Amino acid sequence: MDKIVVEGGRQLNGEVRISGAKNAALPILAASLLTDGTNTYRNVPRLHDIASIRELLAYLGARVETDEDHVIRIKANGLCQTEAPYDLVRKMRASILVLGPLLARLGKARVSLPGGCAIGARPINLHLKGLARMGASIELTHGYVEATADRLKGDDFYLDVPTVTGTENLMMAAVLARGTTILRNVAREPEIVALADALNRMGARISGAGSSVLTIHGVDALTPADISIIPDRIEAGTFMVASALTGGDVTVLNCEPDHMGAMLNKLRLTGARITVKGRSVRVQGPEKITSVDIKTLPYPGFPTDMQAQFMVLMSVARGLSIISETIFENRFIHVSELRRLGADITVSGNAAMIKGVDHLSGAPVMATDLRASASLILAGLVAEGQTVINRVYHLDRGYEAIEDKFARLGAAVQRVR
Ligand code: EPU
């Protein structure tokens, strides 16, 4: 199995180009199931999670082709399956995103129930309640969700929690429903806006994306579209933290600064100098990092997907910081690995108290979650000596060519096969 080996102590300098967003691409590719012509998707990142959704769409009978760099074409006529089997969903829980589109298009779907994962229990009760509200009959048997509906009908549904993939599933189900659906307390992440934009280009009638209420007037059919995937704000944030952490000077290109307000604000408070110019952000690291407190929240709050990376920054900051995780109940799996590198972190409930230390020291580490693994590379960049990150497949799920991008910025980061 591959490993990433990092020799710490190098300052990062230069430019890095950000790839398309994994969490925008996954629902938008799943939305191909709603049309029967050929959809073209550009700026699709090359990631294992994208390979997983492609595999699932192909299994369902869609034709999936790649003929240009980062471009995927998907034609979903002649779908022959309504089931997303355990082996595919097990690999990637976002496979649940085919539930809404399959039900809307074919009137039935059988999707393996995703279990919990390393970061929390991650129920899908709101996906199911929303679909039931639109008239679907839902049964849970043998580890599968079985949903059927002749044609979904619009209704008014309040989400107890603004779930991201839940909002996406319900939006994709509602676009072909009879009548108008109003979804309240929905997620407001940029990936939700991107999906609504993509669906509207296919002929859907969705308004309110980016606010907490979505109004969706159902239409009889959608037509294929040509869609470009928005930049990955979490990948961008990870490189921005890397620059601040190493006292470097990195310009992050092809990103969307408007999607990163909370992160940029916090980064500024650490003493980093931030210069935003159009679609690029230059981050100049401070001489000494100042501690800041962080609380993860739904967008536009601070993203849980950046919590682990900021914790590394706080591990070598001046002073004490408190990081509270309010989205997932178990998203501190990186803490014990960071402690192995010498970080001084105490966890109590959903809060971590981090006392900045003068230096970290390299060691072998591993993590069972994508963002936690990214945080370990960051820690390796400032640790003395060598840090070896095992279980690299987590990184490959969500960061395109991460070691090459770091190496081009001057980091000593290498993949060992
Ligand atoms: N929740 C419920 N009921 C539901 C659904 C969610 O109670 O039916 C709760 C969850 O347990 C959690 C909270 O709602 O406490 C938020 O979870 P959400 O459903 O929003 O998460 P998700 O849709 O499963 C997406 C991203 C995650 C990201 C979260 C939060 C995708 C494919 N995944 O997950 O990304 O952390 O939103 O922003 O979009 C990652 O990329 O590393 C990643 C984990």
Side-chain angles (χ1 to χ4, degrees), residues 333-356:
I333 32 189
H334 41 285
V335 167
S336 39
E337 300 302 293
L338 292 178
R339 279 199 201 118
R340 299 191 60 247
L341 302 179
D344 184 347
I345 307 173
T346 318
V347 174
S348 170
N350 75 340
M353 188 173 76
I354 306 116
K355 278 189 205 156

Side-chain angles (χ1 to χ4, degrees), residues 16 20 57-58 80 90 116 130 139 193 217 221 234 238 240 246 256 324:
V16 59
L57 294 172
C80 52
R90 180 173 58 89
E139 267 187 65
V193 178
H217 300 291
I234 305 302
T238 303
M240 294 187 326
T246 61
E256 189 46 80
S324 317

Side-chain angles (χ1 to χ4, degrees), residues 1-146:
M1 214 178 286
D2 293 2
K3 295 173 181 188
I4 298 255
V5 178
V6 187
E7 294 287 344
R10 305 242 187 124
Q11 224 178 31
L12 302 198
N13 286 292
E15 296 180 334
V16 59
R17 177 165 285 278
I18 298 308
S19 299
K22 163 178 87 75
N23 290 348
L26 292 171
I28 291 176
L29 296 184
S32 315
L33 295 171
L34 293 162
T35 72
D36 62 5
T38 303
N39 292 281
T40 302
Y41 302 103
R42 303 178 192 279
N43 197 35
V44 182
R46 275 205 216 98
L47 301 170
H48 280 187
D49 274 9
I50 298 297
S52 299
I53 195 90
R54 288 179 57 154
E55 192 183 346
L56 176 54
L57 294 172
Y59 176 86
L60 295 170
R63 229 177 55 215
V64 185
E65 286 169 1
T66 309
D67 51 8
E68 291 165 62
D69 198 25
H70 293 93
V71 177
I72 296 184
R73 289 180 221 283
I74 303 180
K75 187 170 187 177
N77 63 349
L79 295 175
C80 52
Q81 268 287 352
T82 51
E83 175 171 319
Y86 176 70
D87 276 344
L88 294 179
V89 180
R90 180 173 58 89
K91 262 205 245 170
M92 184 186 66
R93 41 182 354 280
S95 304
I96 191 67
L97 286 166
V98 300
L99 176 62
L102 280 177
L103 184 59
R105 175 96 185 277
L106 302 175
K108 64 178 182 181
R110 187 168 187 268
V111 178
S112 175
L113 262 175
C117 79
I119 61 178
R122 306 188 74 179
I124 56 157
N125 56 318
L126 297 170
H127 304 227
L128 304 184
K129 278 187 184 164
L131 293 174
R133 186 63 180 245
M134 286 185 239
S137 97
I138 309 258
E139 267 187 65
L140 301 183
T141 47
H142 306 296
Y144 278 77
V145 182
E146 290 185 9

